[in-house]
Structures are given as structure tokens and as C-alpha cells.
């Protein structure tokens, strides 16, 4: 399967903050690299001030954003009622979609991929980058 | 033989099957006992419960806080609805430092568990893919309506419904001549969860492939709730994919299905909805 070039994909900056933190920018750069993986459909990256959505199919922006928002809300609920401590990694496995959500400092990253993609490779890649950047 | 540590109560219930009919309460108790025993065998498990996508908690372990489980299930069901965009939620996992929570779809229900990360992956897999599905399958054989929800009327999520409406409209599929039907749902909140059965025998040959047959007990409920208004069609929705069709309906003739919360669908409709025999669908009555 040929992967669409991400340059052609929809890239929407929901809200821009004039002073973007280094963390956000650094993670954003890593995600651009991860997006070149076959089967990765795009990502949503968000911190307190800024959110960037980069998805192959721009029509799915809203439902995907709502899905990850609900997933984080659920993780928060689970951590409160089960005294889990704040969840730092979330995996959503749907029939046709896989979503990996990771919290790096205050930045939340959601990576959307096809069902058959090995999410552990992406997670390891993301964590190795972030460790190198000494977050 | 049954493995060591297996609940004697669970085994007794299973062995009693030939002797007398097992009630739904006993089935729920068997599931609860299984969850309790799982916690005894694996102390790493702190909470375990099983719920349906309509927010019903089927069973939970004896130490689980009911209100906490209810509030979590509420949010989980919202997530399940949002996950339709990806074809339906199959598995969800939250990892934190010491603990993790997993939610696994097992047929028409979901199994949620909170456990420490010390729990071995093989044991986890054995529980979620072996023990619990087998128990649920047994219960399904004994009390199918328990697994697929007895005909219940429940309210859709109002805020979420408005959000999903546009998407559902675009993805809805209408069979045959039913396009652009000018009819309204007599109550957006009246929904029955029914189990799919094949439309076969004479019904399949005589009736149209675009018609469905509904349990007469459910039709009576709709008529009562609708104030004796005439129900002209039904809307059938596949739970996981959200696909819908609007079609004509008739009561099921086979008395064996009376009161069983069943809907008989032709092969054509099953293909359109991407569903099959034994799966759960949501059915809404539509009046003039």
C-alpha cells in the first residue's frame, strides 16, 4: 500500500500560542518523523495552550478529536476511582483503527494508525526520542 | 476436570443445567463468582466487572464500589459510542506507573479489569481470552437474553446524540424502496436491543428480503409506549459500526421466539448492516 504524502494531508493549527514551549515543538518534530511510518494516519498533539491536528483525512478531525478527548477523560476517571495514579499511556484498539495516546510532560500526543501497525514500535520510538531530549 | 481454585458455586451452577432451568439471577451469580474467584487466584486484580454498551453492569466483583463502577461505565459507554468512528471499540488499555486498566470486548459485552502491572501477560491473556469468555459463552447458551439485554427501553446520550446525528445520517443506508421515507421516530429515546436471528423457512420465501420480523412482545411494548399510534417502520442499527436501515416489519410467527427479544433479518439486511446471527442490534420504532 502506498502511503500518502503527509505534505498533502490536512494540517490544522487549532490555536496558536506566540510562545510555544520547547517541549511542544520538540515532540511535534518527533511526530513528523513518526508520521512517515507506513500505516500511520496522523496525529493530534496538544498542550495547555496549543493543539495541532495532522490527519490524512481531514473529515475525521472532529470525531477523532472527540474520541481521544473521551479516552483521556476516561483515563482520568479510572485513575481517580481506582487510585491508579495518572495514566501516561493509553491504547485504543478499534475494529479498523488503533490509537496510541502518550503523555509527555504536559504534552498529550495521540497517534492514529491502521489496525495492523505495531504500536509498540511507535511507542518505543517516541519514548527513545523523548528520553534523548531529556524530558 | 475443573482446574484447582475454580469456584465450586460456578461449577455447581453449570452441572445443575441438566436438572432444572437456570434463572438469569443464577447466571449473574455465576459470573460474579467467577470474577471473585479470579481475584482470589490473582491478587494483582483489584477490580473486575462486565457491562453492556447500554450502561448496564452485568456483574462485578464483590469488593467493587457500585457507584465508582457506574460512573466509570458511564464514561466507558461514551467512549464506545465515540469509537464507532474506528469501527467499534475492541480493546482499551490505560497504563500508569504501577497499575493498568483494560477493557476488552467479548461479543456483545465488555469486560473491564484494573490490575497491577505485576500481573503476568500470559495470565492476563488467559483471563480475558479464556476463562471469562468461556463463562460468558455458557451463560449465553443458558440465558441468551441476559447477554444481549432483555428488551429494555433506555435513553440515548442526549448531548452525544446531537453530535453523532450528522455522521449517522451520512452513513445510514436505506434498503430498496425505503429511501427518503418521510417518517419520524415517535420517540428518540425508545430503543430496544434485540438479538439477530436468521429469517429462514417459509418467512424467507414468502416475505420480502427488505422486511424484518420482530418479537411480538417488543411490538406490544412499543404500541403501549407510543399511545396506540401506528408504527409503520422500524430503524435497525448495528451497535458497533453504527450502520442503520429503515424497513418494514412484521411480527415473528414462530412461537419459539416469543418474548426472546429477537429480530429476524434476511441475509441481504445482515450483509448491509454487517451483522450476523447472535449479534445485538438496536431497533427503533417509527410512526407516521
Amino acid at each position: 500500500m502506498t502511503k500518502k504524502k503527509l505534505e498533502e494531508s490536512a494540517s490544522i493549527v487549532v490555536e496558536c500560542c506566540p510562545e510555544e514551549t520547547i517541549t511542544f515543538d520538540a515532540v511535534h518534530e518527533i511526530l513528523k518523523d513518526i508520521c512517515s511510518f507506513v500505516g500511520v494516519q496522523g496525529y493530534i498533539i496538544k498542550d495547555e495552550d496549543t493543539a495541532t491536528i495532522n490527519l490524512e483525512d481531514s473529515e475525521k478531525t472532529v470525531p477523532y478529536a472527540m474520541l481521544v478527548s473521551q479516552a483521556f477523560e476516561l483515563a482520568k476517571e479510572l485513575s481517580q476511582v481506582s487510585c491508579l495514579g495518572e495514566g501516561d499511556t493509553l491504547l485504543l484498539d478499534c475494529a479498523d483503527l488503533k490509537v496510541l495516546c502518550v503523555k509527555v510532560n504536559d504534552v498529550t500526543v495521540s497517534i492514529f494508525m491502521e489496525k495492523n501497525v505495531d504500536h509498540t514500535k511507535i511507542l518505543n520510538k517516541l519514548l527513545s526520542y523523548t528520553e534523548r531530549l531529556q524530558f | 476436570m475443573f482446574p484447582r481454585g475454580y469456584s465450586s458455586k460456578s461449577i455447581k451452577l453449570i452441572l445443575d443445567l441438566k436438572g432444572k432451568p437456570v434463572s438469569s439471577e443464577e447466571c449473574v451469580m455465576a459470573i460474579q463468582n467467577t470474577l471473585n474467584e479470579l481475584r482470589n487466584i490473582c491478587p494483582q486484580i483489584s477490580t473486575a466487572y462486565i457491562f453492556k454498551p447500554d450502561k448496564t453492569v452485568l456483574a462485578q466483583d464483590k469488593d467493587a464500589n457500585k457507584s465508582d463502577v457506574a460512573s466509570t461505565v458511564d464514561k466507558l459507554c461514551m467512549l464506545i459510542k465515540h469509537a464507532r468512528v474506528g469501527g467499534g471499540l475492541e480493546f482499551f488499555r490505560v497504563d500508569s506507573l504501577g497499575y493498568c486498566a483494560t477493557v476488552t470486548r467479548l461479543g456483545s459485552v465488555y469486560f473491564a479489569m484494573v490490575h497491577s502491572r505485576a500481573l503476568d501477560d500470559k495470565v492476563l491473556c488467559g483471563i480475558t481470552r479464556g476463562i471469562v469468555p468461556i463463562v460468558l459463552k455458557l451463560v449465553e447458551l443458558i440465558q441468551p437474553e441476559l447477554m444481549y439485554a432483555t428488551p429494555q427501553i433506555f435513553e440515548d446520550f442526549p448531548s452525544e446524540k446531537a453530535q453523532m446525528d450528522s455522521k449517522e445520517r451520512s452513513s445510514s443506508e436505506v434498503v430498496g424502496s425505503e429511501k427518503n421515507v418521510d417518517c419520524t421516530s415517535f420517540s428518540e429515546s425508545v430503543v430496544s436491543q434485540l438479538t439477530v436471528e436468521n429469517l429462514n423457512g417459509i418467512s424467507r420465501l414468502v416475505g420480502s428480503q427488505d422486511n424484518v420480523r420482530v418479537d411480538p412482545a417488543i411490538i406490544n411494548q412499543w404500541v403501549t409506549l407510543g399511545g396506540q399510534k401506528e408504527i409503520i417502520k422500524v430503524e435497525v442499527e448495528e451497535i458497533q459500526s453504527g450502520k442503520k436501515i429503515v424497513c418494514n416489519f412484521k411480527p415473528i410467527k414462530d412461537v419459539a421466539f416469543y418474548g426472546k427479544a429477537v429480530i429476524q433479518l434476511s441475509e441481504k439486511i445482515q450483509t448491509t448492516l454487517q451483522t450476523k446471527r447472535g449479534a445485538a442490534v438496536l431497533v427503533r420504532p417509527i410512526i407516521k
Side-chain angles (χ1 to χ4, degrees), chain A residues 60 63-64 66-68 70-75 77-78 81-97 115, chain B residues 47 49 68 71-72 75-76 78-79 82-83 85-101 114 117 163 167:
Chain A
K60 289 183 174 169
Y64 278 14
M66 283 167 67
L67 177 64
V68 291
Q70 189 63 40
F72 277 112
E73 201 175 313
L74 174 62
E77 172 85 12
L78 279 166
V81 299
S82 310
C83 304
L84 287 178
E86 203 169 351
D88 50 10
T89 311
L90 277 66
L91 177 70
L92 267 158
D93 205 345
C94 299
D96 312 316
L97 174 77
K115 176 90 174 162
Chain B
T47 313
Y49 49 92
D68 285 349
S71 69
T72 311
K75 286 201 163 49
L76 276 165
M78 291 293 279
L79 182 74
H82 284 300
V85 70
L89 186 70
E90 298 284 331
F91 179 75
F92 177 66
R93 180 176 173 130
V94 183
D95 278 286
S96 69
L97 278 175
Y99 279 83
C100 71
V114 179
R117 291 181 80 167
Q163 294 157 1
K167 185 177 90 68

Side-chain angles (χ1 to χ4, degrees), chain A residues 8-73:
Chain A
E8 293 171 7
S9 66
S11 181
I12 305 159
V13 176
V14 174
E15 193 184 333
C16 279
C17 175
E19 294 175 6
E20 283 184 337
T21 61
I22 295 166
T23 313
F24 184 91
D25 286 342
V27 177
H28 197 177
E29 286 303 313
I30 296 162
L31 284 174
K32 282 177 185 171
D33 189 27
I34 286 174
C35 260
S36 64
F37 286 27
V38 174
V40 175
Q41 297 174 350
Y43 60 84
I44 295 176
I45 177 169
K46 188 171 162 288
D47 70 0
E48 284 178 0
D49 309 309
T50 316
T52 301
I53 300 167
N54 189 337
L55 292 170
E56 282 178 357
D57 186 355
S58 58
E59 283 184 4
K60 289 183 174 169
T61 301
V62 175
Y64 278 14
M66 283 167 67
L67 177 64
V68 291
S69 165
Q70 189 63 40
F72 277 112
E73 201 175 313

Side-chain angles (χ1 to χ4, degrees), chain A residues 72 86-90 101-109 127:
Chain A
F72 277 112
E86 203 169 351
D88 50 10
T89 311
L90 277 66
C101 306
V102 185
K103 242 183 161 179
V104 184
N105 286 356
D106 293 330
V107 182
T108 55
V109 176
L127 294 177

Side-chain angles (χ1 to χ4, degrees), chain A residues 97-124:
Chain A
L97 174 77
K98 206 183 257 189
V99 190
L100 178 68
C101 306
V102 185
K103 242 183 161 179
V104 184
N105 286 356
D106 293 330
V107 182
T108 55
V109 176
S110 305
I111 303 167
F112 302 87
M113 61 198 92
E114 285 166 13
K115 176 90 174 162
N116 55 355
V117 177
D118 185 358
H119 68 276
T120 51
K121 282 183 183 173
I122 291 173
L123 180 63
N124 290 339

